[in-house]
Amino acid sequence: MYMKYKRNERIGALTYMLTNSPNKIFTYNYFSEKLDAAKSTISEDIFIVKESIEKLDVGNVVTIPGASGGVKFVPKVNKIEETRFLVELAEKLSDPERITAGEFVFMTDIIYSPNVSEVIGRIFASRFIEQDIDYVVTIETKGIPMAFATARSLNVPLVVIRKDIKVTEGATVNVNYVSKSNKNIQSLSLARNSMKEHSKVLVIDDFMRGGGTLAGIRSMMKEFKSEIVGVGVLVSRNSEEFNREQNISSLLRLDEIDEAEERLTIVPNL
Amino acid sequence: MYMKYKRNERIGALTYMLTNSPNKIFTYNYFSEKLDAAKSTISEDIFIVKESIEKLDVGNVVTIPGASGGVKFVPKVNKIEETRFLVELAEKLSDPERITAGEFVFMTDIIYSPNVSEVIGRIFASRFIEQDIDYVVTIETKGIPMAFATARSLNVPLVVIRKDIKVTEGATVNVNYVSKSNKNIQSLSLARNSMKEHSKVLVIDDFMRGGGTLAGIRSMMKEFKSEIVGVGVLVSRNSEEFNREQNISSLLRLDEIDEAEERLTIVPNL
C-alpha cells in the first residue's frame, strides 16, 4: 500500500531520500512507485529539489541520463562554510593543554563528535569525488569516524587496516614498516576478504608526521594490487613539499608544538 | 546575502537541514533568517515537512515549545524495514566461509558498508532514544562504524575505549578484566578527557560472547562515575536469559557455529 503525497510532500520526501544516501543513484521508476506519481511529475519535483539544494549550497542534484540512469545527490561543502569550520577547528585544537607525551595532540573529544566528523567527511569527499574511489582506507583507531563519514559521503565501503596481526579475521595479509617517529618496526594486517583487488582507494587519517604509516599502507595496497588515488589527513606535521610529493591533502597544519614552552599552533591550510 | 526561496524550495531546504542533523534542535528564528521568510510561514512549511517525513515513515518531526524551543527530526526505522533488513543481514552473515579461528565470524566487509552501518545505527538509536543518552561508548575496533552511526543518529559524541595503554592520549584511566573466551587478562584504557563524569552512556558493540568485555566497560564507566543505560550488540552468542539480566539488546543471535561441520546459523531477534 502506498501513501498519497501532495506535491509539497513529495518535495520533502524526495529531498530526504536523495540527501540521506549521498552519491546513491535512484531511478525515476523507484521514486515513481514509492510516491505513486507519474515519472514526468517526479521529474518536475526533482527539478525543485535541485533548485533548493543548490540555493542552500550544500551539494548538487545530478541527473544521469540513459538506461541505467537516474538521479543522485552529490554533497559538497561551500568555501565559506569550509573556511569557517577549519578556522574554528584549528583554534579549538591549538590549546597547549592538548599536548601529550611524544608531542602528539589529544583530539578525540572533538573529532569523535558526529557534527565535526561529518563535515570533515564531506570536505574530503568533495575533494576526491572525481577520482572514482572504490574504498576509503584508514588505519585503526582514531581516524575511523572521519574515514567512515567520508565513505558515507562517497557511498563506498570503509576498510580498516589493523595494527598487529588479528587471528579472528580469517586469512590476513601482513606488512611491516619502520615508524619514523619512534624507529620501531610496526606490523599492519588486513583480512584478505576486506576488499577486492585492483581497486582505487582514498586513504584517510587523523594525524600524520613522517610518512612511515603511509608507507605501510602503500605496501599493503600493493599486496591488494590496488592504487592509492588520494590521501586526506586532518592534521599534518609534514612540510608542504613532502605533502605535495606524496599527494597528501591535509586540512590543518601543525606549525609548532613545544610541551616545555606550552606552545601549540595548528593552522588551517586554506 | 540570503537567497530567495519559493515555498516548494523551502520545503526541500527545511527537509535537508532537519534530516541531515538528526536530533538537533533548530530554532524557528534560525530557519526564518536562513530562508528569509516569516516565522509563521516557516511554521506552516514545517508542518508539510512533518507530513512528508511521517508518510515516508522514516522518523518524526517534533516541535519543542517554549523559549528554548524549536524543531528537530527524530529518525526511526519502521518495523517492516527493520525486519527485512535484519533477515537479509542474518542470511548474508550465515555463510560458513565466514567462520574464523576461535569460532569468530568475519563480518567487516558487510558492517563497514555505510548503508549497513547507518541502518544499524538508526535501529539502535530508535531503541534507546528515550534514555537521555550523553555518549555512545564502544571498544576498538570493529564496532566503531556502527557506534558512530548510532551516535550521529542520537546527536551525541562517540567515545572509543582502547585496548592496552596508549601513551599518546594524555592522562588515561586503565582497568583490567578477564576475557572469558581465552582466560587472558586484558587492559582497557580511556583518556581522562574523553568524556564528562556523571554521564548516561549507551554501549554499542558488533559482537558479544561471554560478558568479559562488557564487565571491563562497566568498570571503566564506574571510574567515570557514569551509568550504562543500555547495551546494543549486533550479534550476540549469549543466552537470552543472560542478555535480559545484563540489559543487552541484540539485533542478531548466533545460534550455531561449528567450523569442522561447516555450520553457521545467525538469526534475527525479531
Side-chain angles (χ1 to χ4, degrees), chain B residues 220-268:
Chain B
M220 182 64 86
M221 289 303 105
K222 224 172 260 173
E223 294 300 316
F224 283 81
K225 299 180 179 60
S226 290
E227 185 194 353
I228 296 176
V229 296
V231 181
V233 174
L234 179 63
V235 182
S236 161
R237 212 188 154 168
N238 302 321
S239 71
E240 285 179 51
E241 200 192 338
F242 179 87
N243 283 349
R244 218 171 11 247
E245 275 170 22
Q246 299 278 318
N247 197 19
I248 297 165
S249 167
S250 92
L251 306 187
L252 307 175
R253 195 173 65 239
L254 180 57
D255 252 7
E256 186 188 25
I257 185 164
D258 189 322
E259 199 178 357
E261 297 281 333
E262 292 189 5
R263 283 216 293 251
L264 175 61
T265 314
I266 294 174
V267 296

Side-chain angles (χ1 to χ4, degrees), chain A residues 58-91:
Chain A
V58 291
N60 297 96
V61 173
V62 179
T63 307
I64 300 111
S68 64
V71 57
K72 66 177 177 179
F73 166 65
V74 182
K76 70 164 187 186
V77 182
N78 77 57
K79 206 62 205 167
I80 298 169
E81 186 193 350
E82 179 175 328
T83 304
R84 190 185 299 143
F85 173 80
L86 293 179
V87 167
E88 268 180 35
L89 186 58
E91 239 171 66

Side-chain angles (χ1 to χ4, degrees), chain B residues 1-269:
Chain B
M1 199 215 58
Y2 291 105
M3 304 292 295
K4 242 337 198 187
Y5 291 80
K6 297 181 196 126
R7 158 150 286 182
N8 274 333
E9 293 167 357
R10 284 199 310 274
I11 305 296
L14 288 166
T15 306
Y16 172 83
M17 291 186 276
L18 282 166
T19 64
N20 272 268
S21 296
N23 278 301
K24 177 174 165 181
I25 299 172
F26 292 89
T27 63
Y28 284 89
N29 273 337
Y30 174 81
F31 287 143
S32 174
E33 279 188 26
K34 183 95 185 170
L35 302 178
D36 195 18
K39 278 207 271 180
S40 56
T41 309
I42 294 292
S43 180
E44 289 164 32
D45 294 342
I46 292 286
F47 185 77
I48 297 168
V49 173
K50 183 180 165 68
E51 289 286 298
S52 102
I53 289 301
E54 289 172 9
K55 281 189 184 170
L56 270 184
D57 207 11
V58 291
N60 296 97
V61 173
V62 179
T63 307
I64 300 112
S68 64
V71 58
K72 65 177 177 179
F73 166 65
V74 182
K76 70 165 188 187
V77 183
N78 77 58
K79 207 62 205 167
I80 297 169
E81 186 193 349
E82 179 175 328
T83 304
R84 190 185 300 145
F85 173 80
L86 292 179
V87 168
E88 267 178 36
L89 185 58
E91 238 169 66
K92 269 196 232 167
L93 292 174
S94 293
D95 174 355
E97 298 275 318
R98 294 189 167 275
I99 303 173
T100 67
E103 295 195 333
F104 284 90
V105 182
F106 179 73
M107 307 200 290
T108 50
D109 58 330
I110 294 174
I111 63 174
Y112 282 0
S113 158
N115 301 325
V116 174
S117 291
E118 278 290 307
V119 181
I120 295 171
R122 267 195 288 140
I123 296 174
F124 284 136
S126 307
R127 294 201 180 178
F128 298 102
I129 183 74
E130 303 297 337
Q131 310 292 314
D132 270 331
I133 287 152
D134 298 306
Y135 296 95
V136 170
V137 173
T138 192
I139 190 163
E140 61 182 352
T141 298
K142 285 181 282 184
I144 298 176
M146 67 182 67
F148 179 73
T150 309
R152 178 175 182 271
S153 215
L154 291 168
N155 191 29
V156 300
L158 174 69
V159 169
V160 179
I161 298 175
R162 311 290 299 260
K163 287 168 188 161
D164 303 321
I165 289 135
K166 304 293 162 188
V167 292
T168 61
E169 289 294 282
T172 58
V173 176
N174 306 299
V175 302
N176 302 303
Y177 71 96
V178 179
S179 161
K180 283 174 190 162
S181 34
N182 57 17
K183 308 284 172 207
N184 280 345
I185 292 185
Q186 305 267 335
S187 296
L188 298 180
S189 155
L190 184 56
R192 179 48 82 193
N193 292 331
S194 293
M195 56 181 279
K196 294 201 180 83
E197 294 194 337
H198 306 289
S199 297
K200 287 182 173 181
V201 310
L202 168 61
V203 174
I204 296 292
D205 211 352
D206 62 312
F207 192 87
M208 191 178 289
R209 66 169 173 190
T213 310
L214 185 57
I217 298 173
R218 282 193 201 284
S219 22
M220 182 64 86
M221 289 303 105
K222 224 172 260 173
E223 294 300 316
F224 283 81
K225 299 180 179 60
S226 290
E227 185 194 353
I228 296 176
V229 296
V231 181
V233 174
L234 179 63
V235 182
S236 161
R237 212 188 154 168
N238 302 321
S239 71
E240 285 179 51
E241 200 192 338
F242 179 87
N243 283 349
R244 218 171 11 247
E245 275 170 22
Q246 299 278 318
N247 197 19
I248 297 165
S249 167
S250 92
L251 306 187
L252 307 175
R253 195 173 65 239
L254 180 57
D255 252 7
E256 186 188 25
I257 185 164
D258 189 322
E259 199 178 357
E261 297 281 333
E262 292 189 5
R263 283 216 293 251
L264 175 61
T265 314
I266 294 174
V267 296
N269 274 331

Side-chain angles (χ1 to χ4, degrees), chain A:
Chain A
M1 199 214 59
Y2 292 104
M3 304 293 294
K4 246 325 196 193
Y5 291 79
K6 297 180 197 125
R7 158 151 286 185
N8 275 333
E9 293 167 357
R10 283 199 311 272
I11 305 296
L14 288 166
T15 306
Y16 173 84
M17 290 187 277
L18 282 166
T19 64
N20 273 269
S21 295
N23 278 301
K24 178 174 164 180
I25 299 172
F26 292 89
T27 63
Y28 283 88
N29 273 337
Y30 174 81
F31 287 143
S32 174
E33 279 189 24
K34 184 94 185 170
L35 302 178
D36 194 17
K39 278 208 271 179
S40 56
T41 309
I42 294 292
S43 180
E44 288 164 31
D45 295 342
I46 291 286
F47 185 77
I48 298 166
V49 173
K50 183 180 167 66
E51 288 286 299
S52 102
I53 289 301
E54 290 171 9
K55 281 189 186 172
L56 269 184
D57 207 11
V58 291
N60 297 96
V61 173
V62 179
T63 307
I64 300 111
S68 64
V71 57
K72 66 177 177 179
F73 166 65
V74 182
K76 70 164 187 186
V77 182
N78 77 57
K79 206 62 205 167
I80 298 169
E81 186 193 350
E82 179 175 328
T83 304
R84 190 185 299 143
F85 173 80
L86 293 179
V87 167
E88 268 180 35
L89 186 58
E91 239 171 66
K92 270 196 233 166
L93 292 174
S94 293
D95 175 354
E97 298 275 318
R98 296 189 166 277
I99 302 174
T100 67
E103 296 194 331
F104 285 91
V105 182
F106 179 72
M107 308 198 291
T108 50
D109 59 328
I110 294 175
I111 63 174
Y112 283 180
S113 159
N115 301 325
V116 174
S117 292
E118 278 290 308
V119 181
I120 296 171
R122 266 194 290 140
I123 295 174
F124 283 136
S126 306
R127 294 200 179 179
F128 298 103
I129 183 72
E130 303 298 337
Q131 310 291 316
D132 269 332
I133 287 151
D134 298 305
Y135 296 95
V136 170
V137 173
T138 191
I139 191 163
E140 61 182 352
T141 299
K142 287 180 281 183
I144 299 177
M146 67 183 68
F148 179 72
T150 309
R152 178 174 181 271
S153 216
L154 291 168
N155 191 30
V156 300
L158 174 69
V159 169
V160 179
I161 298 176
R162 312 290 300 261
K163 286 167 189 163
D164 303 322
I165 289 136
K166 304 293 163 187
V167 293
T168 61
E169 288 293 283
T172 58
V173 176
N174 307 300
V175 301
N176 302 303
Y177 70 97
V178 179
S179 161
K180 283 174 190 163
S181 34
N182 57 18
K183 308 283 172 206
N184 279 344
I185 291 185
Q186 305 267 338
S187 294
L188 298 180
S189 154
L190 185 57
R192 178 49 80 193
N193 292 331
S194 294
M195 57 180 278
K196 294 200 180 84
E197 293 193 338
H198 305 290
S199 298
K200 286 181 174 182
V201 310
L202 169 62
V203 174
I204 297 292
D205 212 352
D206 61 313
F207 193 87
M208 191 178 290
R209 67 168 171 189
T213 310
L214 184 57
I217 297 173
R218 283 193 200 283
S219 23
M220 182 64 86
M221 288 304 104
K222 223 172 261 175
E223 293 300 317
F224 282 82
K225 300 182 178 60
S226 291
E227 185 193 354
I228 297 177
V229 295
V231 181
V233 174
L234 179 62
V235 182
S236 160
R237 212 189 155 170
N238 301 322
S239 71
E240 285 180 49
E241 200 193 338
F242 179 87
N243 283 348
R244 217 173 10 248
E245 275 171 22
Q246 299 277 319
N247 198 19
I248 297 164
S249 167
S250 92
L251 305 187
L252 306 175
R253 194 173 68 240
L254 181 57
D255 251 7
E256 186 189 26
I257 184 163
D258 189 322
E259 199 176 359
E261 299 282 333
E262 291 189 5
R263 283 216 294 250
L264 175 61
T265 315
I266 293 174
V267 295
N269 275 330
L270 297 175

